């Protein structure tokens, strides 16, 4: 049988290409994709050619980027991490998965994938399969919230109200925080209010730092989460934070840090600046032994199944997989109406 996979031949050269189907081995399942969400962060950096892994190699031993010794191995195939599908076939030694079962996981933008049975998680009964596209973005958002170490009553600024920022705003509200949502797109700020944000700030019109200091009797936010990946937004998040407060940098920052002045409020207010990254073994060192990546993703999906988080309003576009070039161009152009863009496989 012919499989189909999204292939990147070079910057902004994207297409859906045929590829062979993999054979099924022991302990494995074959999953046919229904939906695959496009990340407007990491995937756009690959699409645009700005991802550091395209110009440098990651050394697992030193945990440092080093100059790339070989050309970029184009085409890049199968990237993507927001998949939901249906089990089509199971190996004879697999007993806890069955054909017809809806599952979520990470297997990239492809029509079908052969995976270890443990790499896919069944959907809760009655859950719209489209909601499972948000398992990974939700885990990224929850990782940022956990890294922020929020407490009941904290004032928290959330900078960037894209998909992950909006989910982080909702999760921060569920944590008991008083959330101030910051973005430049009114429709996204309206969604943040719908998710429970106390205040919204149009960063193109007013200063989020000024608003947060005013809301807190001059103190500033206890914690700010920066999820836009823009250096000026990170700078404003630092300005908005109280003395010795915490800023979580969870965006995927590209290039040099234009607009970030570390000799100003960061230095004088002794701001704690921490990075949040979902692929690590734990959201924060203090959580080692308790929180794992699997627990983070499952916790988010539990909240969706319980109705505490409703991600479906964030789906702005569902397009056929063979229109992947149009879908990525939509996100690349910064279309304000685009939030979660999803590829649909037949």
């Amino acid at each position: 049988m012919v499989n189909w996979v999204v292939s990147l031949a070079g910057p902004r050269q994207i297409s859906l290409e045929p590829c062979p189907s993999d054979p099924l081995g022991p302990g494995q399942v074959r999953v046919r994709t229904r939906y695959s969400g496009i990340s407007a962060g990491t995937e756009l950096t690959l699409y645009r050619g700005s991802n550091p892994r395209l110009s440098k190699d990651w050394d697992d031993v030193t945990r440092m980027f080093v100059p790339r010794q070989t050309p970029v191995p184009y085409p890049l195939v199968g990237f993507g991490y927001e998949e939901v599908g249906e089990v089509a076939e199971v190996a004879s030694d697999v007993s806890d998965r069955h054909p017809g079962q809806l599952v979520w996981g990470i297997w990239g933008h492809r029509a079908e994938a052969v995976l270890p049975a443990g790499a896919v998680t069944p959907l809760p009964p009655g859950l719209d399969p489209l909601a499972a596209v948000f398992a990974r973005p939700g885990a990224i958002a929850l990782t940022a919230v956990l890294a922020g170490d929020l407490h009941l009553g904290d004032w928290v600024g959330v900078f960037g109200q894209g998909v992950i920022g909006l989910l982080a705003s909702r999760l921060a509200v569920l944590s008991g925080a008083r959330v101030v949502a910051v973005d430049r797109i009114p429709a996204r700020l309206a969604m943040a209010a719908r998710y429970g944000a106390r205040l919204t700030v149009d960063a193109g019109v007013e200063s989020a730092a000024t608003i947060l200091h005013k809301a807190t009797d001059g103190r500033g936010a206890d914690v700010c989460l920066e999820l836009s990946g823009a250096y000026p937004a990170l700078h404003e998040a630092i300005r908005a934070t109280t003395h010795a407060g915490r800023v979580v940098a969870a965006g995927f920052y590209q290039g040099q840090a234009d607009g970030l002045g570390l000799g100003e409020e960061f230095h004088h207010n002794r701001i704690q600046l921490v990075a949040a990254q979902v692929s690590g073994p734990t959201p924060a060192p203090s959580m080692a032994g308790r929180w794992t990546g699997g627990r983070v993703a499952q916790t988010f999906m539990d909240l969706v199944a319980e109705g505490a988080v409703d991600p479906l309003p964030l789906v702005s576009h569902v397009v056929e997989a063979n229109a992947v070039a149009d879908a990525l161009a939509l996100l690349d152009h910064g279309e304000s109406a685009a939030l979660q863009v999803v590829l649909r496989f037949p």
Side-chain angles (χ1 to χ4, degrees), residues 74-87:
Y74 287 122
L76 301 177
V77 297
F79 57 90
Y81 55 74
E82 307 177 15
E83 283 71 54
V84 58
E86 181 178 334
V87 175

Side-chain angles (χ1 to χ4, degrees), residues 21 50 62 64 88 97 102 117 126 164 194 241 259 262 270 277 307:
S21 287
S50 65
T62 63
M64 293 173 61
R97 302 289 183 267
L102 294 175
I164 294 172
R194 176 176 170 181
T241 304
L262 296 182
R270 301 181 182 182
Q277 217 276 349

Side-chain angles (χ1 to χ4, degrees), residues 5-342:
V5 64
V6 169
S7 175
L8 183 68
R12 294 182 170 86
Q13 300 174 49
I14 196 89
S15 60
L16 187 69
E17 300 291 336
C19 67
S21 287
D22 293 327
L24 189 70
Q28 295 182 324
V29 297
R30 187 182 309 278
V31 180
R32 294 204 176 109
T33 309
R34 283 201 184 182
Y35 301 111
S36 186
I38 297 177
S39 156
T42 303
E43 287 183 56
L44 273 186
T45 68
L46 292 170
Y47 177 74
R48 292 167 173 165
S50 65
N51 192 298
R53 290 180 182 268
L54 298 176
S55 59
K56 300 177 182 178
D57 285 322
W58 173 253
D59 187 320
D60 286 327
V61 176
T62 63
R63 296 194 61 80
M64 293 173 61
F65 280 101
V66 297
R68 175 174 282 281
Q69 301 300 312
T70 58
V72 178
Y74 287 122
L76 301 177
V77 297
F79 57 90
Y81 55 74
E82 307 177 15
E83 283 71 54
V84 58
E86 181 178 334
V87 175
E89 186 182 4
V90 301
S92 59
D93 60 341
V94 174
S95 59
D96 56 349
R97 302 289 183 267
H98 57 80
Q101 192 173 36
L102 294 175
V103 295
W104 57 267
I106 299 173
W107 56 85
H109 301 311
R110 59 181 77 240
E112 69 166 49
V114 172
L115 303 157
V120 297
T121 304
L123 267 69
L127 185 67
D128 188 323
L130 194 55
V133 165
F134 292 91
R136 188 67 168 181
I140 296 170
L142 182 53
T143 295
V145 169
L146 291 171
D149 191 24
L150 311 187
H151 297 89
L152 181 67
D154 276 351
W155 281 91
V156 175
V158 182
F159 288 71
Q161 296 296 305
V163 171
I164 294 172
L166 282 163
L167 294 175
S169 290
R170 179 60 187 157
L171 293 169
V173 169
L174 292 176
S175 300
R178 300 166 181 172
V179 170
V180 177
V182 185
D183 204 281
R184 292 174 177 268
I185 299 176
R188 296 184 180 187
L189 293 173
M191 182 62 71
R194 176 176 170 181
Y195 274 179
R198 288 280 187 103
L199 298 170
T200 62
V201 180
D202 184 337
V205 176
E206 52 192 349
S207 163
T210 299
I211 298 298
L212 271 158
H213 278 84
K214 186 181 297 184
T216 57
D217 296 326
R219 292 190 311 275
D222 299 286
V223 179
C224 280
L225 312 179
E226 205 302 294
L227 292 144
S228 74
Y231 289 113
L234 180 57
H235 181 73
E236 187 71 0
I238 290 169
R239 293 187 69 232
T241 304
T242 190
H243 182 271
R246 175 173 291 194
V247 174
V248 177
F252 193 7
Y253 304 94
Q254 302 295 295
Q256 300 304 305
D258 293 335
L260 177 62
L262 296 182
E264 300 175 12
E265 289 85 2
F266 172 75
H267 178 72
H268 288 79
N269 287 331
R270 301 181 182 182
I271 300 297
Q272 302 173 41
L273 181 61
V274 300
Q277 217 276 349
V278 71
S279 63
T282 181
S286 62
M287 297 176 181
R290 297 185 294 119
W291 282 90
T292 63
R295 180 183 175 186
V296 172
Q298 187 59 62
T299 297
F300 177 79
M301 289 304 296
D302 289 344
L303 292 169
V304 172
E306 294 163 6
V309 179
D310 179 12
L312 289 176
L314 305 186
V315 177
S316 60
H317 298 76
V318 179
V319 303
E320 301 304 322
N322 59 10
V324 62
D326 294 334
L328 274 159
L330 181 76
L331 291 168
D332 186 33
H333 294 153
E335 170 59 47
S336 63
L339 271 173
Q340 181 62 69
V341 179
V342 178

